[in-house]
Amino acid sequence: MDTPHVPETADGPASVAATTGLDLNAQLAGLLGQIADGDRAAFAEFYRLTSRRVFGMARRVLVDLELSEDATQEVFLQVWQNAGSFNIAAGSPLAWLMTIAHRRAVDKVRSAQAATDREARYGADSQEIEHDSVSDEVDGLLEAEAVVRCLKTLTETQQESVRLAYYGGLSYREVAERLNSTLPTIKSRIRDGLIRLKSCLEVS
């Protein structure tokens, strides 16, 4: 299914604000069913009815205008790709959409914070006063060997997840996408792997 062009974030018409929650959810549920079948017109109408709310959610979390617009675009691309996964028995279409919006915004906050932290660590490392280079190299080598040895105590799936997250620099969501797994599964796998790794290193 081709991805449709997602319009720039724009406020919906004033009449949308007057739509009752029940009426809107009923309309959105029908549109999601059509979107799941690849209906671009239904997607455009869904966007028109909800983009203002999604952008508002993103802006409250992210504050930054450009990041909020990016998050909004990503939310609706996710809607286009995953409309078929919506289950009316699990909640209303609007609740489903806003959950996606909130998670996407939070992911962007974490991603931005991680990038800031990496830059700060790099800056601190580059300004460290030189110590005994031979001693540092030996300590680093021993530490590296201990980590490699302890990594081997993890299961194959735990090793792969931990390596991608902590050596590949990927977020949990990116690891999940890379390994074609769910986000909760990856989080659990990495958490258990790190607990096991920490225990091994302390014993070492």
Side-chain angles (χ1 to χ4, degrees):
M1 184 165 63
D2 295 335
T3 301
H5 170 68
V6 179
E8 292 299 322
T9 302
D11 291 347
S15 60
V16 173
T19 305
T20 68
L22 288 175
D23 290 343
L24 179 60
N25 275 310
Q27 188 174 1
L28 295 179
L31 290 172
L32 282 172
Q34 294 173 280
I35 294 170
D37 291 331
D39 190 324
R40 291 171 178 268
F43 176 77
E45 179 65 6
F46 186 93
Y47 181 91
R48 184 184 72 80
L49 290 171
T50 59
S51 60
R52 185 176 185 176
R53 296 170 186 259
V54 170
F55 177 74
M57 167 67 78
R59 191 68 189 274
R60 284 194 296 275
V61 175
L62 293 163
V63 181
D64 182 83
L65 176 62
E66 186 174 344
L67 285 177
S68 300
E69 290 175 342
D70 288 346
T72 300
Q73 304 298 303
E74 292 169 7
V75 167
F76 283 100
L77 287 177
Q78 188 171 342
V79 168
W80 174 256
Q81 294 166 352
N82 299 313
S85 68
F86 169 70
N87 179 8
I88 190 67
S92 70
L94 200 53
W96 176 76
L97 177 66
M98 299 312 289
T99 297
I100 293 175
H102 184 263
R103 287 175 178 169
R104 180 65 64 173
V106 169
D107 283 346
K108 281 198 170 292
V109 170
R110 289 173 176 166
S111 178
Q113 184 61 52
T116 300
D117 291 345
R118 284 196 297 270
E119 290 176 2
R121 285 196 299 271
Y122 175 79
D125 291 344
S126 65
Q127 295 178 25
E128 283 185 353
I129 299 173
E130 289 190 9
H131 299 289
D132 184 334
S133 60
V134 175
S135 175
D136 287 347
E137 287 177 10
V138 171
D139 288 344
L141 180 61
L142 291 174
E143 183 179 350
E145 289 177 347
V147 171
V148 170
R149 184 172 64 254
C150 287
L151 275 172
K152 293 179 180 178
T153 68
L154 274 56
T155 66
E156 185 175 341
T157 55
Q158 286 174 338
Q159 284 188 47
E160 190 173 24
S161 300
V162 170
R163 287 181 187 277
L164 287 172
Y166 290 90
Y167 292 95
L170 302 183
S171 68
Y172 284 5
R173 183 172 296 280
E174 289 169 334
V175 173
E177 292 173 353
R178 177 75 65 86
L179 300 181
N180 195 28
S181 185
T182 64
L183 185 57
T185 297
I186 291 299
K187 285 183 176 180
S188 176
R189 187 181 298 168
I190 292 176
R191 184 187 66 248
D192 293 344
L194 290 178
I195 291 172
R196 200 166 177 176
L197 190 59
K198 180 181 178 182
S199 176
C200 175
L201 287 170
E202 288 176 346
V203 170
S204 299

